[in-house]
Amino acid sequence: MYGLIVIGIQNYVESIYGEDVWFRIVEKSNIGLLTFQTHNTYSDTVPERLFLAFSHETGESIENVTYQTGLSFAAFISDYGYENLLRVQGRDFISFLHNLDNLHEYLRLSYPDIQPPSFSIINATNDCIRLKYSSKRNGYIHYVRGQLITLAKRLYNLDIKVILISTKIINNIYQTIYDIYALNGKRWIDPQNYYIQKPLDSWGDTISSNVFFDIFAFSLLITNQMKIKRASTSFRKLDSSLEGSDFNEKFLLFRPFIKSNIEEVS
């Protein structure tokens, strides 16, 4: 865990409760540190213990403490010099959510040991975005909820409601589902301004598969049963046995954290 997260907690506590409360929280947390550096790495237990001490000091629940800190952190990193980077992630909030994983990969240039979460949109309608948040860390469900609300308002002037639907652990990954609603009569998908994917048979003329595989050096044709029916030349140079094999025997999906089945990868 990088110090930027801890400094974000400190920034919120000091701005709302004062410096004395922050020092009492640090003392109660028994982490053995008084100051933190943005690019230094710390144990994942540091923010966990700070949140717990914060809750005890203020009498607020852990859920509310992490939620309020998440609300504040999104504004904090914008003021910290990341606002322009955040703004170029998408022309609308849906595009922004789609690009969150790319944003975290870009941040790896500055934070090489980052272990970022993953975000993927399960589906989106006019009324609701269903978002999956996956992380190796526990305890940030409401923190992320707060971040989403602040980012929507700050970057897109959107008032949103984020509802926690479910959370579970799969292969040591904490997976959380949120439903996100736009408030004040706003709609997520405007048919006049939003690209709607057409069924394949209405696209008109198509290119041959041979041309397609020549254009895209690393591409696969996968069946509904996740069998690799065809692999591009570049892939076959890496592994001549790809074609006919099971996708899950040859590949591990690192990001986003989704199941390797046709419903989630298509």
Side-chain angles (χ1 to χ4, degrees), residues 66 72 101 124 126 131-132 136-137 163 202 208 214:
T66 53
S72 171
D101 281 9
N126 281 335
L131 180 72
K132 179 192 288 186
K136 296 178 181 178
R137 298 184 175 96
I163 298 176
S202 66
S208 69
D214 284 340

Coordinates of all heavy atoms in Angstrom, one line a residue, residues 66 72 101 124 126 131-132 136-137 163 202 208 214:
T66 N -14.9 4.9 6.5 CA -14.3 4.6 5.2 C -15.0 5.4 4.1 O -14.4 5.8 3.1 CB -14.3 3.1 4.9 OG1 -15.6 2.6 5.1 CG2 -13.3 2.5 5.9
S72 N -13.7 12.1 0.4 CA -12.7 13.1 0.5 C -11.5 12.8 -0.4 O -10.9 13.7 -1.0 CB -12.2 13.2 2.0 OG -11.1 14.1 2.1
D101 N -9.3 0.7 -15.1 CA -8.2 -0.3 -15.1 C -7.0 0.3 -15.8 O -5.8 0.1 -15.4 CB -8.6 -1.6 -15.6 CG -9.4 -2.4 -14.6 OD1 -9.7 -1.9 -13.5 OD2 -9.6 -3.6 -14.9
A124 N -25.2 -1.9 -18.5 CA -25.6 -0.5 -18.4 C -26.9 -0.3 -19.1 O -27.0 -0.7 -20.3 CB -24.5 0.4 -18.9
N126 N -30.4 2.7 -19.4 CA -30.7 4.1 -19.2 C -30.7 4.5 -17.7 O -30.4 5.6 -17.4 CB -32.1 4.5 -19.8 CG -32.0 4.6 -21.3 OD1 -30.9 5.0 -21.9 ND2 -33.1 4.4 -22.0
L131 N -21.8 -2.3 -11.7 CA -20.3 -2.3 -11.7 C -19.8 -3.3 -10.7 O -20.3 -3.5 -9.6 CB -19.9 -0.9 -11.2 CG -18.3 -0.6 -11.2 CD1 -17.8 -0.5 -12.6 CD2 -18.0 0.6 -10.4
K132 N -18.8 -4.0 -11.2 CA -18.0 -5.0 -10.4 C -16.7 -4.4 -10.0 O -15.9 -3.9 -10.8 CB -17.8 -6.3 -11.1 CG -17.0 -7.3 -10.2 CD -16.6 -8.5 -11.0 CE -17.7 -9.4 -11.4 NZ -17.2 -10.7 -12.1
K136 N -7.8 -7.5 -4.0 CA -7.2 -8.4 -3.1 C -7.3 -7.9 -1.6 O -7.0 -8.6 -0.7 CB -5.7 -8.6 -3.4 CG -5.5 -9.2 -4.8 CD -4.0 -9.4 -5.1 CE -3.8 -10.0 -6.4 NZ -2.3 -10.1 -6.8
R137 N -7.7 -6.7 -1.5 CA -7.8 -6.0 -0.1 C -9.3 -6.0 0.3 O -10.2 -5.7 -0.5 CB -7.3 -4.6 -0.2 CG -5.8 -4.6 -0.5 CD -5.3 -3.1 -0.4 NE -3.8 -3.1 -0.6 CZ -3.3 -2.8 -1.8 NH1 -4.0 -2.6 -2.9 NH2 -1.9 -2.8 -2.0
I163 N -25.4 1.9 -4.8 CA -26.0 1.0 -3.9 C -25.2 -0.3 -3.9 O -24.9 -0.9 -4.9 CB -27.5 0.6 -4.3 CG1 -28.3 1.9 -4.2 CG2 -28.1 -0.4 -3.4 CD1 -29.7 1.7 -4.6
S202 N -26.0 -6.7 -39.3 CA -26.4 -5.5 -39.8 C -25.3 -4.5 -40.2 O -25.5 -3.4 -40.5 CB -27.4 -4.8 -38.9 OG -26.7 -4.4 -37.7
S208 N -12.5 -10.7 -44.6 CA -12.3 -12.1 -44.4 C -11.5 -12.4 -43.1 O -10.8 -11.5 -42.7 CB -11.6 -12.7 -45.6 OG -10.3 -12.3 -45.6
D214 N -4.4 -11.1 -40.2 CA -3.2 -10.4 -40.6 C -3.1 -9.1 -40.0 O -2.0 -8.6 -39.7 CB -3.2 -10.3 -42.2 CG -2.8 -11.7 -42.8 OD1 -2.3 -12.5 -42.2 OD2 -3.2 -11.8 -44.0

